[in-house]
């Protein structure tokens, strides 16, 4: 309640405090300094946060203080007082105009953000929290403020066997990278939920990258299929290998069975876009596999040292619950970097639960 009351009166606080300082300075300095014009600071500052009504109220209060100061300093009715009042009136009128323009811009910005949020909800629907014995949690940080999608992306789609998962990193930044990410996400979702085999998904993404983007961007990624029995097939397209946390606390790197080019490059090189044969790992109950982008592994500290994923991720990933584990991992990265990273970063943690 106190926070709400303070926020409600906040537009008045700084202008009134500024005029209080002017009044105090006028009293201490005496009549010879002529501080009356400085009362215009009140309505000028009110325009930064207040409504037109707020500005008018502050302007009236400013004029009253000016009259009182003029009376105390024996300037009442002379040219100095009249000039100061004229200045207050002019600044108040200008501040009202500025306040109206600012508030209209704020309303337009709210509309734009609501549209952007609606688009992002369609583009990046929430991941399923659990499919059978498979539990999921994800965490995304975008280099673009107020955005939930950027050059990095992750998605999971239920399928007959369990879950199909993709984590990927689009080369480059900016609008084209966002457009490419949207194409990859949509194509993966459509292909992963159908009857296609795991190795048939990548060619669909390759075709979409060629036909729906500028054709100048490639995408590193891991496409995986996690089954209800705990087995996970992994196809790695030039991406950081996922990290497995075993039940006894050991960390293992899910190395690809063979290396493959990033998506978008295979066609240019005349290679099979389906890429490598899948590598299989098997999770025992309560074991986890972490998919991540290089926004995690390349987060730097003040000395320029990368975040050592294999050396430090084990502690955070030991926390109960995938959501809590990712929160602890983010907190550990923040400690390493000293307060965050300026790169996109996507994390997806999949846990195989114990079946009762």
């Amino acid at each position: 309640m106190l926070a709400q009351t303070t926020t409600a009166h906040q537009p008045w606080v700084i202008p009134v405090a500024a005029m209080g300082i002017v009044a105090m300075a006028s009293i201490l300095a005496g009549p010879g300094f002529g501080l009356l014009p400085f009362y215009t600071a009140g309505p000028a500052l009110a325009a930064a946060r207040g409504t037109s009504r707020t500005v008018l109220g502050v302007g009236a209060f400013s004029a009253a203080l000016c009259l009182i100061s003029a009376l105390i300093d024996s300037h009442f009715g002379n040219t100095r007082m009249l000039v100061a009042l004229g200045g207050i009136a002019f600044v108040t009128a200008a501040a009202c105009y500025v306040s109206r323009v600012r508030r209209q811009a704020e309303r337009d910005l709210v509309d734009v953000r609501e549209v952007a949020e609606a688009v992002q909800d369609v583009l990046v629907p929430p991941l399923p929290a659990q499919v059978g014995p498979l539990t999921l949690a994800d965490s995304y940080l975008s280099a673009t403020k107020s955005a939930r999608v950027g050059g990095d992306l992750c998605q999971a789609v239920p399928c007959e066997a369990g879950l199909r998962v993709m984590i990927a990193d689009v080369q480059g930044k900016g609008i084209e990278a966002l457009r490419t990410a949207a194409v990859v996400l949509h194509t993966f979702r459509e292909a992963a939920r159908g009857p296609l085999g795991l190795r048939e998904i990548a060619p669909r993404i390759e075709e979409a990258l060629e036909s729906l983007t500028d054709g100048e961007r490639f995408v590193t990624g891991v496409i995986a299929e996690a089954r209800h029995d705990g087995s996970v097939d992994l196809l790695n397209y030039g991406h950081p290998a996922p990290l497995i946390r075993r039940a006894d606390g050991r960390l293992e790197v899910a190395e690809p069975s063979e290396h493959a080019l990033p998506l978008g490059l295979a066609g240019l090189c005349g290679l099979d876009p389906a890429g490598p044969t899948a590598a299989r790992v098997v999770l025992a109950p309560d074991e986890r596999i972490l998919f991540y982008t290089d926004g995690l592994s390349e987060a730097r500290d003040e000395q320029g040292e990368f975040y050592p994923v294999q050396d430090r991720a084990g502690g955070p990933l030991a926390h109960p619950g995938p959501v809590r584990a990712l929160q602890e991992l983010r907190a550990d990265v923040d400690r390493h970097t000293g307060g965050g990273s300026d790169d996109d970063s996507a994390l997806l943690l999949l846990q195989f639960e114990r079946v009762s």
Side-chain angles (χ1 to χ4, degrees):
M1 180 65 69
L2 179 59
Q4 292 176 351
T5 302
T6 301
T7 302
H9 291 82
Q10 195 169 2
W12 294 88
V13 173
I14 295 178
V16 170
M19 290 186 295
I21 293 172
V22 173
M24 184 65 66
S26 179
I27 293 172
L28 294 176
F33 280 84
L35 298 179
L36 298 182
F38 285 90
Y39 285 112
T40 58
L45 290 172
R49 295 184 60 87
T51 63
S52 297
R53 182 177 298 180
T54 301
V55 173
L56 289 172
V58 172
F61 184 58
S62 177
L65 284 179
C66 179
L67 290 172
I68 294 172
S69 294
L71 185 62
I72 293 173
D73 293 342
S74 300
H75 294 311
F76 192 84
N78 66 14
T79 303
R80 180 178 295 182
M81 185 198 78
L82 296 176
V83 169
L85 289 176
I88 291 171
F90 178 79
V91 172
T92 300
C96 284
Y97 172 75
V98 171
S99 175
R100 293 186 62 182
V101 171
R102 190 204 82 242
R103 285 176 59 81
Q104 182 59 51
E106 288 174 348
R107 286 191 289 268
D108 292 343
L109 181 59
V110 169
D111 291 342
V112 169
R113 284 180 174 174
E114 288 178 350
V115 172
E117 288 177 0
V119 170
Q120 290 184 124
D121 287 339
V122 174
L123 181 60
V124 191
L127 272 61
Q130 186 161 6
V131 176
L134 304 172
T135 302
L136 271 181
D138 70 305
S139 174
Y140 188 84
L141 291 179
S142 174
T144 303
K145 292 182 179 180
S146 302
R148 298 201 307 273
V149 62
D152 292 6
L153 55 99
C154 63
Q155 191 56 250
V157 178
C159 65
E160 183 177 354
L163 270 173
R164 283 178 171 173
V165 171
M166 181 177 191
I167 192 160
D169 184 356
V170 177
Q171 171 262 333
K173 297 182 182 297
I175 297 300
E176 280 302 324
L178 290 173
R179 184 178 293 114
T180 302
V183 169
V184 172
L185 280 168
H186 175 74
T187 306
F188 171 75
R189 286 200 301 268
E190 291 300 311
R193 64 165 53 98
L196 298 177
L198 188 64
R199 295 185 76 244
E200 297 176 280
I201 296 175
R204 292 293 181 90
I205 296 175
E206 291 272 359
E207 292 172 6
L209 288 173
E210 183 177 355
S211 60
L212 300 178
T213 70
D214 58 13
E216 297 180 357
R217 297 186 183 268
F218 60 86
V219 181
T220 69
V222 173
I223 300 175
E225 182 174 279
R227 301 183 181 84
H228 296 303
D229 61 2
S231 63
V232 183
D233 286 349
L234 302 164
L235 293 171
N236 193 316
Y237 298 87
H239 196 79
L243 194 65
I244 302 170
R245 185 185 186 276
R246 295 300 183 183
D248 59 6
R250 290 181 297 111
L251 295 182
E252 298 177 4
V253 179
E255 295 288 357
S257 58
E258 54 185 298
H259 293 281
L261 290 174
L263 298 166
L265 291 182
L268 297 176
C269 299
L271 300 177
D272 179 7
T277 302
R280 174 166 294 187
V281 299
V282 178
L283 301 178
D286 300 326
E287 292 185 339
R288 300 167 169 177
I289 181 167
L290 173 70
F291 301 86
Y292 63 94
T293 60
D294 61 11
L296 174 69
S297 56
E298 294 183 0
R300 298 174 184 264
D301 62 12
E302 294 180 352
Q303 288 73 41
E305 298 292 330
F306 291 131
Y307 179 75
V309 178
Q310 296 182 43
D311 294 335
R312 293 184 57 161
L317 292 180
H319 282 80
V323 174
R324 172 72 184 283
L326 289 187
Q327 290 173 345
E328 293 296 330
L329 182 56
R330 287 292 189 197
D332 191 53
V333 174
D334 286 344
R335 287 190 290 270
H336 175 77
T337 61
S341 174
D342 58 357
D343 195 9
D344 296 330
S345 174
L347 307 175
L348 192 153
L349 187 61
L350 185 150
Q351 178 170 312
F352 181 57
E353 301 286 356
R354 188 178 300 275
V355 180
S356 58

